[in-house]
């Protein structure tokens, strides 16, 4: 299963093409749109979300709600394009306006300008923008529908914001309730504390990051491989997590905490009660690069948004003189959006792994092969 996306932040639209979907997968477009709306939600978001109201339009590969087995293509129109048409139109526009030369620390601006031989960071930041993740959420929502058809479910929540952390443990069924919370945090007291912190940072023109936990339930053992390094499931899923803008760290199961403990406190003891099981899940559902049948647990560290409304010290790319970084419309915190994007990125990466093992040209074949696995 393969995804290609295209489109700029203030361009006409975001486009996605998915290859490798089997036929007869029922597509719920409203479910895709619900996830797109969740991506635009969350406490601490900026003005862009008031302009856009993302909706997906499927262009090919689906008829009467069922996939055909051909490439599925879709678009998400950028409503803000009408305000940017005179600066962004591919047919011709005024590129002297909306130029960005005071490169922003923490963004792709400077490195991208050098790499792609540009004198205007606009030609880099438009694609590097997290706006691109709307297409990944649409594709990930389709991947989640593929996985759900097999009984595999993905969910998550915000574990911490700017150091304010929820240390409680939750069963998988509790996680979906986070989507009804303003900051996707399950501990109400911690959430209120984190919201107050976001308000304080907004007054200072500053930004916040945090930690997100993503969980996968229902995946049978044996997905991924110990035979080739590139086929290890944790490498694939962690790579998908790290491909999301602003993610700077990822861990599986105990993660970095495992480095502080003795082996007897880390490794999950195995027992048999008609099936092989583990007494704990410190491994986070992956051993030797393969799913072991337990819940998969991933955590991602999101850095603070690098566009600060107060601006950071930088250099003007043209004059080479000290300057204050350019300010695009920005959020104070986009941790809720990141949670939805991470669910989607993980879902698509996992769907690819599952489809490679199961094969199948239609969903009946896929389900039959999955049900035969132990």
């Amino acid at each position: 299963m393969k995804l290609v996306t295209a489109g700029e932040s203030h361009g006409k639209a975001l486009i996605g093409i998915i290859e490798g979907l089997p036929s007869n997968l029922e597509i719920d477009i409203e479910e895709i749109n619900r996830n797109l709306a969740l991506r635009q939600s969350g406490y601490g978001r900026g003005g862009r979300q008031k302009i856009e109201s993302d909706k997906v339009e499927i262009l090919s590969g689906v008829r009467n709600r069922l996939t055909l087995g051909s490439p599925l293509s879709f678009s998400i129109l950028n409503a803000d394009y009408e305000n940017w048409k005179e600066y962004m139109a591919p047919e011709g526009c005024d590129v002297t306006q909306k130029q960005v030369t005071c490169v922003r620390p923490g963004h792709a601006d400077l490195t991208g300008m050098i790499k792609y031989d540009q004198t205007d960071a606009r030609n880099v930041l438009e694609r590097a923008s997290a706006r691109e993740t709307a297409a990944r959420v649409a594709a990930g929502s389709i991947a989640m529908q593929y996985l759900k058809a097999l009984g595999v479910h993905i969910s998550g929540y915000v574990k911490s914001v700017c150091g304010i952390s929820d240390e409680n443990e939750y069963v998988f069924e509790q996680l979906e309730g986070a989507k009804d919370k303003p900051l996707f945090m399950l501990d109400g007291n911690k959430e209120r504390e984190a919201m107050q912190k976001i308000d304080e940072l907004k007054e200072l023109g500053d930004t916040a990051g945090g930690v997100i936990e993503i969980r996968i339930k229902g995946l049978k053992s044996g997905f991924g491989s110990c035979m080739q390094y590139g086929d290890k499931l944790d490498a694939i899923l962690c790579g998908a997590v790290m491909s999301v803008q602003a993610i700077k760290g990822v861990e599986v199961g105990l993660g970095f905490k495992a480095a502080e403990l003795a082996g007897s406190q880390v490794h999950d003891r195995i027992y048999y009660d008609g099936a092989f099981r583990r007494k704990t899940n410190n491994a986070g559902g992956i051993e030797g690069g393969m799913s072991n049948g337990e819940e998969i647990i991933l955590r991602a560290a999101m850095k603070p948004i690098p566009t600060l409304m107060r601006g950071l010290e930088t250099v003007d790319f043209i004059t080479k003189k000290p300057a204050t970084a350019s300010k695009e419309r920005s959020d104070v915190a986009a941790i809720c959006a990141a949670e939805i994007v991470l669910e989607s990125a993980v879902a698509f990466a996992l769907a690819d792994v599952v489809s490679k093992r199961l094969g199948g040209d239609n969903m009946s074949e896929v389900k039959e092969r999955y049900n035969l696995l132990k």
Side-chain angles (χ1 to χ4, degrees):
M1 204 173 292
K2 179 182 178 182
L3 169 67
V4 176
T5 69
E8 287 74 46
S9 180
H10 295 100
K12 294 181 179 182
L14 299 170
I15 302 293
I17 300 176
I18 304 173
E19 295 179 351
L21 281 170
S23 67
N24 296 329
L25 171 65
E26 185 169 358
I27 300 298
D28 185 342
I29 294 177
E30 288 309 308
E31 178 68 17
I32 301 171
N33 288 334
R34 277 192 290 273
N35 285 329
L36 287 171
L38 283 170
R39 177 194 163 277
Q40 294 182 288
S41 69
Y43 198 77
R45 301 304 304 275
R48 178 76 186 260
Q49 313 317 314
K50 298 175 183 178
I51 297 171
E52 306 286 1
S53 182
D54 289 338
K55 301 286 185 183
V56 70
E57 180 180 4
I58 294 180
L59 305 175
S60 69
V62 176
R63 185 182 185 212
N64 192 31
R65 298 186 294 276
L66 296 176
T67 56
L68 301 173
S70 55
L72 187 157
S73 63
F74 62 84
S75 68
I76 302 167
L77 295 180
N78 286 330
D80 207 15
Y81 176 68
E82 288 304 311
N83 299 320
W84 284 76
K85 187 175 181 179
E86 60 184 299
Y87 320 118
M88 291 294 297
E91 300 87 357
C93 62
D94 184 358
V95 297
T96 66
Q97 301 297 314
K98 301 291 185 180
Q99 280 185 308
V100 176
T101 59
C102 297
V103 292
R104 300 165 300 167
H107 272 282
D109 297 359
L110 178 57
T111 304
M113 290 172 78
I114 295 169
K115 175 179 175 65
Y116 294 106
D117 191 22
Q118 301 289 343
T119 56
D120 181 358
R122 173 74 53 202
N123 293 334
V124 175
L125 68 87
E126 284 288 330
R127 181 59 183 167
S129 166
R131 175 71 185 147
E132 176 266 347
T133 61
R136 299 185 70 186
V137 167
S141 298
I142 292 170
M144 275 191 257
Q145 292 178 38
Y146 169 84
L147 293 169
K148 284 179 183 178
L150 304 178
V152 180
H153 300 272
I154 300 176
S155 193
Y157 70 106
V158 173
K159 191 169 180 62
S160 75
V161 175
C162 208
I164 299 167
S165 184
D166 178 359
E167 298 301 328
N168 296 313
E169 294 185 5
Y170 301 100
V171 298
F172 185 88
E173 288 69 24
Q174 292 176 283
L175 303 186
E176 201 59 27
K179 306 299 192 302
D180 297 325
K181 309 287 186 179
L183 206 49
F184 289 14
M185 295 184 79
L186 288 166
D187 185 315
N189 292 328
K190 290 295 182 181
E191 184 174 61
R192 284 187 287 273
E193 190 178 344
M195 290 166 66
Q196 183 177 348
K197 179 68 174 179
I198 289 172
D199 292 341
E200 293 170 359
L201 291 171
K202 184 175 182 179
E203 289 296 316
L204 295 171
D206 217 329
T207 58
V211 175
I212 297 158
E213 183 167 298
I214 302 295
R215 305 246 290 271
I216 303 168
K217 183 175 182 178
L219 183 67
K220 294 185 178 182
S221 65
F223 287 93
S225 176
C226 60
M227 298 303 180
Q228 288 288 351
Y229 61 89
D231 294 332
K232 292 177 181 289
L233 183 60
D234 39 4
I236 293 168
L237 297 184
C238 290
V241 169
M242 290 296 294
S243 74
V244 174
Q245 289 89 331
I247 301 302
K248 301 300 286 186
V250 61
E251 61 181 13
V252 182
L254 276 184
F256 283 95
K257 187 177 179 181
E260 304 170 4
L261 303 173
S264 59
Q265 298 173 287
V266 172
H267 302 299
D268 304 306
R269 289 163 171 79
I270 299 170
Y271 68 98
Y272 185 82
D273 65 354
F276 291 105
R277 306 185 191 280
R278 286 140 183 93
K279 293 187 176 181
T280 53
N281 190 21
N282 295 330
I286 302 175
E287 291 176 304
M290 299 169 289
S291 61
N292 64 14
E294 304 291 339
E295 272 188 30
I296 292 176
I297 303 172
L298 305 168
R299 277 177 227 94
M302 179 188 185
K303 70 179 181 180
I305 295 167
T307 299
L308 276 64
M309 296 311 294
R310 69 181 185 186
L312 291 174
E313 298 87 354
T314 188
V315 172
D316 186 292
F317 186 85
I318 304 299
T319 68
K320 310 298 188 292
K321 293 181 179 180
T324 300
S326 300
K327 297 186 285 291
E328 293 284 299
R329 183 167 42 223
S330 182
D331 306 316
V332 179
I335 192 89
C336 296
E339 195 280 329
I340 297 299
V341 175
L342 287 173
E343 284 188 24
S344 302
V346 167
F348 200 90
L350 181 58
D352 181 43
V353 171
V354 170
S355 67
K356 283 179 179 175
R357 185 182 184 194
L358 298 179
D361 294 313
N362 60 70
M363 283 304 296
S364 293
E365 289 179 347
V366 174
K367 291 178 183 178
E368 181 181 359
R369 293 173 187 183
Y370 189 73
N371 290 336
L372 288 173
L373 300 177
K374 295 181 180 180

